[in-house]
Amino acid sequence: MNQTEQQFLKSLENKLWTAADKLRSTLDASQYKHAVLGLLFVKYVSDSFTLRQNEIKTDIANPEHEYYLNPEDFGGEESEEYLAEVAAELEVRDFYTEKNIFWLPIESRWQFLQDNGPLVIGGAELDIGDKKKKITSVGHLIDNALEAIERDNIKLKGVLNKHYSQLKIDQAKLNELINLIATIPFTFKDDNASLNSKDILGHVYEYMLGQFALAEGKKGGQFYTPASIVTLIVQMIEPFEGRVYDPAMGSGGFFVQSEKFIERHAAEKQIDAVTQKSRISIYGQEYNHTTWQLAAMNMAIRGLDYDFGKEPASTYTNVQHPDLRADFIMANPPFNMKEWNTGVNDNDPRFKYGTPPAGNANFAWLQHMLHHLAPDGSQALLLSNGSMSSNTNNEGIIRQALIENDLIECMVALPGQLFTNTQIPACIWFLTKNKSTRVDKAGRKLRDRKGEVLFIDARNLGYMKDRVLRDFSFDDIQNVADLFHAWKTGEVVNHVVYEDQLGFCKSVTIGDIKKHDFVLTPGRYVGATEEDDDGIPFTEKMVTLTTKLSEQFAESAILEAEIKKNLAGLGYEL
């Protein structure tokens, strides 16, 4: 993405969030998130419908196109018969669905919402096609539009969040929100840049999810993983084709980044990205109903096929994909989740390496994913740092079993301040059931890595994007990913050759890990970087430092005396 495109998106972010936040005074962040993102979805599908409608108009007027209508056959271009025929053609459903565009009835089109929003604030009867319908509020108007979209698009049945009429918000403000979203330019072109509606809305969705995670704090953040961390995992695991699964999918961030990964690598390999994307199958599960809906909308705006199960459900007690064996599994489950095992069978086959404690689901998530991993598959998940060393309530025994069964491939320690919702330090676990020589789904020839584990200490990578949050640059991400792939292949990857680097990475045997009591903290293995010797003798340094400290003490005493004097002048004695 070039600088012009980035500037456009940045200005769009600022405009949208600043204006939207002003309208949030009567709703909490979790309600407002779904109100805004639901309307953004309607705006996107409506804009896509309108673009396709304009294409059909052009085709109808083109004598060389199969859709051409000869005005002379209907009495000329201005005749009522010709105009009526054109209008009828524009409402042919197949013209839209053949291009994978959602069909929208009149009441679901954005212009209809914008035109009628002011009229229904106090209730009104509207003409919808050849029928009249009583609409009681702006919220009812939006719900009616969503119901019509679901009715006419089976793939979206039960997906859209139709509760706008129940929101405790001033209806005039809800109408303001419609008008605000109407101002979003979903295309951008100039001499140096071009962004389509999918690019723009996808970016807006990602940005708004991040902002809402900040606004919601801990509760909301459990469904949102910062894009840079997701990108790092995807770049390392490379889901180029096959079955992709996330058992704690939230809003579907891993699937979105998988699509972007395929687009980047398809361009590098000079193959068709659309064809390549058809070679992945997306499977997900989510417990929270509105987040489950949000994930489905997130997939729909990108035209991705997906299977999120029959319903939102607990991954532990109501598995939606019981027979799935996925090629790639990625997840950011809630850290240190308690009471996860309520209703779980004591003899559940998923927990073959040990029963995780009721007070912490970390190793339950990890083993659930392993259970659903294909024989040659790869999995990655974010967990709190405690998972690498804890011996509490069977966790040490489970970790030892995973190591001795040679399932751990790589451990990555992350910097602090990456998450909007928690200060808990985090790490990434990469696991596989097969470390033998083979060719992976991305076409890489992997070397025999049996009995080896790669440790990467990435705690010093990244930059502070603001006073609170740290982020990875794409160069940071690419460097770690290239290092991992160079280690796996034993070959040069993007000019990177793997070798141990003091303080950053080290390839370790299971025997070495055993000597460290099966602790997987990268810092134990990579060591500390050596500080450059400045050549100044220690005694000389100490003289300089103590002299400086003495000067600072003297200055402190003068300031203390001055403060006491000023307080005494005000009648206060210390």
Side-chain angles (χ1 to χ4, degrees):
M1 187 177 294
N2 65 37
Q3 189 173 2
T4 304
E5 292 169 341
Q6 289 175 343
Q7 288 174 345
F8 166 77
L9 292 173
K10 185 65 178 176
S11 65
L12 182 60
E13 289 172 1
N14 293 337
K15 172 185 176 182
L16 185 59
W17 181 255
T18 300
D21 202 44
K22 290 178 182 177
L23 298 176
R24 193 169 53 86
S25 58
T26 58
L27 292 176
D28 66 38
S30 61
Q31 289 179 303
Y32 195 68
K33 172 174 68 178
H34 296 289
V36 171
L37 294 177
L39 277 173
L40 281 170
F41 173 79
V42 177
K43 180 65 163 61
Y44 171 77
V45 295
S46 185
D47 278 14
S48 299
F49 182 89
T50 300
L51 285 171
R52 177 59 183 149
Q53 196 170 59
N54 291 335
E55 288 175 358
I56 298 168
K57 285 181 184 178
T58 301
D59 294 339
I60 286 172
N62 181 3
E64 297 182 1
H65 199 279
E66 62 178 317
Y67 294 168
Y68 176 62
L69 289 178
N70 189 340
E72 301 305 318
D73 294 340
F74 301 92
E77 287 187 357
E78 302 300 323
S79 70
E80 289 186 11
E81 185 180 0
Y82 177 73
L83 295 175
E85 188 66 24
V86 169
E89 289 293 299
L90 293 176
E91 297 296 321
V92 175
R93 181 192 184 102
D94 289 348
F95 288 165
Y96 300 88
T97 56
E98 70 183 5
K99 297 290 186 179
N100 293 318
I101 302 296
F102 288 111
W103 165 256
L104 297 186
I106 291 171
E107 63 264 41
S108 301
R109 300 172 194 175
W110 195 262
Q111 195 60 52
F112 185 87
L113 295 181
Q114 207 171 356
D115 290 345
N116 290 287
L119 305 179
V120 300
I121 289 176
E125 192 170 65
L126 300 181
D127 291 318
I128 301 176
D130 57 353
K131 299 178 182 177
K132 289 187 178 292
K133 187 167 186 176
K134 176 69 174 178
I135 302 294
T136 58
S137 65
V138 179
H140 185 195
L141 181 74
I142 298 169
D143 285 343
N144 184 67
L146 294 170
E147 287 168 3
I149 293 173
E150 283 196 350
R151 184 181 65 237
D152 284 359
N153 298 276
I154 299 300
K155 184 70 175 175
L156 296 174
K157 186 68 176 175
V159 163
L160 305 182
N161 192 12
K162 306 178 294 294
H163 299 294
Y164 286 83
S165 57
Q166 298 174 23
L167 292 176
K168 295 185 180 348
I169 185 173
D170 182 87
Q171 293 300 297
K173 285 193 172 185
L174 195 52
N175 188 60
E176 281 183 54
L177 184 57
I178 292 174
N179 290 326
L180 166 67
I181 292 174
T183 66
I184 298 175
F186 280 111
T187 56
F188 172 68
K189 289 185 180 180
D190 70 5
D191 294 338
N192 303 311
S194 177
L195 291 168
N196 61 33
S197 57
K198 176 184 167 185
D199 294 329
I200 294 170
L201 189 62
H203 180 88
V204 168
Y205 242 65
E206 195 170 279
Y207 169 75
M208 295 290 276
L209 283 168
Q211 290 300 105
F212 281 121
L214 278 170
E216 290 179 80
K218 186 175 180 180
K219 180 181 176 183
Q222 71 180 34
F223 300 121
Y224 180 76
T225 313
S228 62
I229 302 178
V230 178
T231 304
L232 173 62
I233 289 174
V234 170
Q235 286 292 119
M236 291 179 73
I237 209 170
E238 296 192 307
F240 200 57
E241 63 177 67
R243 293 152 298 192
V244 181
Y245 174 48
D246 183 347
M249 68 181 179
S251 57
F254 281 108
F255 305 134
V256 172
Q257 287 299 331
S258 295
E259 179 202 25
K260 292 180 180 179
F261 168 80
I262 289 171
E263 289 173 347
R264 285 194 298 270
H265 282 257
E268 292 172 9
K269 294 173 179 287
Q270 296 184 322
I271 60 176
D272 181 58
V274 174
T275 301
Q276 191 61 41
K277 281 189 280 189
S278 70
R279 292 175 179 153
I280 66 166
S281 303
I282 290 172
Y283 299 87
Q285 181 154 350
E286 172 57 47
Y287 179 75
N288 182 280
H289 185 266
T290 49
T291 308
W292 182 82
Q293 292 174 308
L294 187 58
M297 288 190 285
N298 213 358
M299 298 303 99
I301 65 174
R302 292 169 170 84
L304 296 175
D305 285 329
Y306 60 90
D307 182 350
F308 292 163
K310 295 183 294 184
E311 59 188 350
S314 165
T315 301
Y316 292 117
T317 58
N318 189 4
V319 179
Q320 294 293 293
H321 310 289
D323 300 320
L324 176 65
R325 296 297 179 267
D327 300 294
F328 305 97
I329 307 181
M330 299 171 281
N332 173 25
F335 289 174
N336 306 326
M337 178 178 164
K338 301 182 186 302
E339 299 178 5
W340 62 272
N341 61 338
T342 303
V344 175
N345 192 311
D346 290 340
N347 298 314
D348 195 306
R350 289 175 291 182
F351 309 124
K352 64 184 290 186
Y353 300 104
T355 303
N360 195 321
N362 287 343
F363 285 99
W365 287 110
L366 193 153
Q367 291 189 83
H368 169 85
M369 292 166 68
L370 268 175
H371 179 77
H372 288 281
L373 189 65
D376 289 339
S378 299
Q379 77 176 55
L381 77 161
L382 279 155
L383 290 177
S384 64
N385 275 2
S387 63
M388 298 189 289
S389 58
S390 171
N391 290 313
T392 304
N393 296 326
N394 218 32
E395 290 183 328
I397 293 171
I398 298 171
R399 188 173 56 253
Q400 178 176 337
L402 295 171
I403 294 166
E404 290 180 334
N405 282 277
D406 207 8
L407 295 165
I408 313 297
E409 183 162 45
C410 179
M411 299 295 300
V412 179
L414 295 172
Q417 296 178 272
L418 284 171
F419 294 88
T420 58
N421 63 308
T422 181
Q423 294 301 312
I424 297 174
C427 59
I428 311 174
W429 291 61
F430 290 86
L431 296 91
T432 183
K433 295 178 178 178
N434 184 3
K435 293 184 184 178
S436 302
T437 301
R438 60 185 174 89
V439 177
D440 68 11
K441 295 283 187 180
R444 297 188 190 276
K445 185 177 179 180
L446 308 181
R447 67 180 180 86
D448 189 333
R449 303 162 333 278
K450 290 194 288 290
E452 297 179 40
V453 177
L454 176 63
F455 289 92
I456 299 175
D457 190 342
R459 288 177 296 172
N460 293 321
L461 295 185
Y463 64 97
M464 294 303 295
K465 62 188 295 187
D466 55 38
R467 291 180 300 172
V468 178
L469 289 174
R470 180 177 287 273
D471 205 356
F472 287 135
S473 69
F474 194 77
D475 284 343
D476 292 328
I477 291 168
Q478 197 63 55
N479 288 340
V480 173
D482 288 344
L483 188 77
F484 180 52
H485 298 139
W487 176 80
K488 288 172 68 175
T489 61
E491 298 177 353
V492 180
V493 177
N494 292 334
H495 309 293
V496 173
V497 179
Y498 179 79
E499 58 181 19
D500 292 344
Q501 299 176 39
L502 186 64
F504 183 55
C505 64
K506 187 174 178 63
S507 185
V508 176
T509 66
I510 290 177
D512 290 332
I513 297 172
K514 184 177 181 179
K515 293 175 185 176
H516 285 270
D517 297 322
F518 300 99
V519 170
L520 292 174
T521 307
R524 284 213 178 189
Y525 302 96
V526 303
T529 54
E530 295 180 0
E531 293 187 10
D532 293 335
D533 186 356
D534 56 13
I536 302 173
F538 174 76
T539 54
E540 188 176 332
K541 283 184 182 178
M542 285 302 296
V543 169
T544 302
L545 290 171
T546 52
T547 300
K548 182 67 174 176
L549 186 60
S550 178
E551 292 172 354
Q552 290 172 338
F553 280 156
E555 184 179 349
S556 174
I558 293 170
L559 290 173
E560 181 182 347
E562 188 67 26
I563 292 169
K564 287 181 176 179
K565 179 181 176 182
N566 291 336
L567 287 172
L570 296 172
Y572 298 97
E573 295 289 342
L574 286 179

